[in-house]
Amino acid sequence: MKPQHASTTAKLIAAAMVMLHNDPRTRGLVAAETAELSERCLSGGDRWLAASARHAASRAVWLALERRLLPGIVQHFAHRKRWIERRCRAAIADGFTRVIVLGAGFDALGTRLGLENDHIEVIEVDHPATQAAKRAAIESFASHPLQFIACDLGRDDLPASLMNDTRKTVVIAEGLLMYLAEPIVLRLFDQVHALSPAGVQFIFSHLVSWPNGRAGLRPCSRVIDAWLAWRGEPFTWAIAPPAVPALLHRHGFTLIDSATPSDLS
């Protein structure tokens, strides 16, 4: 991503949450707090994006573009977030007391979890420019429980201050790994495993490497690939689903649960 600018992907997903919440047909997919924080994160130079997501006529234009380029992706974002939230809440109910969100973008899950569970610590680790925009929005939003650590995950190791904590830890990496080079992804798995000897659950999403050798979204879109490359956020890592258990085993994890896009909707 461009060093001085907040993530374009974070902005688009925030706009998608605002869009879904403002449509009566899909309002139930997005928590009100998520929609509000998403809109506040877009309240600076991207105010036009939030406005277009609120109003019916411009929403229709966005959804027509979605149907043309990548049908269903807007609702997929919401369903994916709901699945991750269920897994995270189950871990908290099972005694996990630290939540670390890697590449949090403008997502509100960490804020909501922290406000609802005063016995857990919630830490967001993200690119400095994206995190600065989030902090500016959230500090005018409400008192919040988040701890922020600025870190370029495409280049830097996880901070040493996070390692070897005695608390059971949940780590979330939603929509992150596909933007990292493979050596960095593999190193990140090792670092996540070292976060706590008491136990770590790693909840992550990934792009699929398909049997024909192509990797990425389906249907494939050269327009989306070109646009992401232009914005400095190209897809760089994917894995075939059958290879995931072996990857996890090599880095000290065991697969507990997984979901395909069809499982989420």
Side-chain angles (χ1 to χ4, degrees), residues 83-84 87-88 91-92 96-104 109 113 121-125 153 158 162-163 167-174 176-177 188-196 199-205 253:
W83 189 90
I84 289 171
R87 293 299 320 176
C88 190
I92 292 170
F96 285 71
T97 57
R98 187 171 66 149
V99 177
I100 300 176
V101 188
L102 305 179
L109 177 58
L113 290 174
E121 180 182 39
V122 183
I123 303 167
E124 291 193 354
V125 181
L153 293 166
L158 290 180
L162 297 177
M163 299 298 173
R167 291 165 294 181
K168 296 171 71 176
T169 300
V170 181
V171 180
I172 300 171
E174 180 193 3
L176 169 67
L177 301 183
L188 185 62
F189 271 94
D190 287 333
Q191 292 172 357
V192 168
H193 186 264
L195 285 169
S196 174
V200 178
Q201 281 195 17
F202 192 11
I203 305 171
F204 62 92
S205 64
F253 293 99

Side-chain angles (χ1 to χ4, degrees), residues 27-240:
R27 181 166 295 150
L29 294 176
V30 178
E33 299 89 345
T34 296
E36 184 176 355
L37 180 57
S38 296
E39 190 162 344
R40 286 179 178 268
C41 288
L42 297 172
S43 63
D46 300 290
R47 189 177 290 110
W48 67 272
L49 187 56
S52 70
R54 283 197 308 270
H55 298 294
S58 47
R59 283 202 309 271
V61 174
W62 282 118
L63 291 174
L65 184 62
E66 180 215 35
R67 287 192 297 272
R68 176 69 175 170
L69 294 177
L70 199 59
I73 191 63
V74 171
Q75 288 198 32
H76 168 76
F77 290 145
H79 288 299
R80 184 175 75 185
K81 288 181 179 298
R82 287 160 65 89
W83 189 90
I84 289 171
E85 180 172 343
R86 287 195 298 270
R87 293 299 320 176
C88 190
R89 289 185 182 278
I92 292 170
D94 197 34
F96 285 71
T97 57
R98 187 171 66 149
V99 177
I100 300 176
V101 188
L102 305 179
F106 296 153
D107 187 71
L109 177 58
T111 307
R112 292 168 50 226
L113 290 174
L115 289 172
E116 296 170 20
N117 302 274
D118 57 9
H119 66 289
I120 69 171
E121 180 182 39
V122 183
I123 303 167
E124 291 193 354
V125 181
D126 206 354
H127 188 277
T130 303
Q131 192 170 86
K134 172 84 164 281
R135 294 186 70 163
I138 204 170
E139 286 168 2
S140 66
F141 176 59
S143 59
H144 65 84
L146 297 181
Q147 295 184 37
F148 291 105
I149 297 178
C151 178
D152 184 348
L153 293 166
R155 183 187 62 191
D156 301 328
D157 290 337
L158 290 180
S161 60
L162 297 177
M163 299 298 173
N164 296 307
D165 195 280
T166 58
R167 291 165 294 181
K168 296 171 71 176
T169 300
V170 181
V171 180
I172 300 171
E174 180 193 3
L176 169 67
L177 301 183
M178 63 277 290
Y179 297 109
L180 304 179
E182 182 171 13
I184 295 173
V185 172
L186 301 182
R187 185 180 70 196
L188 185 62
F189 271 94
D190 287 333
Q191 292 172 357
V192 168
H193 186 264
L195 285 169
S196 174
V200 178
Q201 281 195 17
F202 192 11
I203 305 171
F204 62 92
S205 64
H206 68 88
L207 282 184
V208 170
S209 177
W210 302 102
N212 64 1
R214 295 292 299 272
L217 303 169
R218 280 195 170 181
C220 296
S221 172
R222 287 188 173 87
V223 173
I224 292 176
D225 290 345
W227 184 79
L228 286 170
W230 172 61
R231 297 302 301 172
E233 299 177 31
F235 295 141
T236 54
W237 184 76
I239 185 170

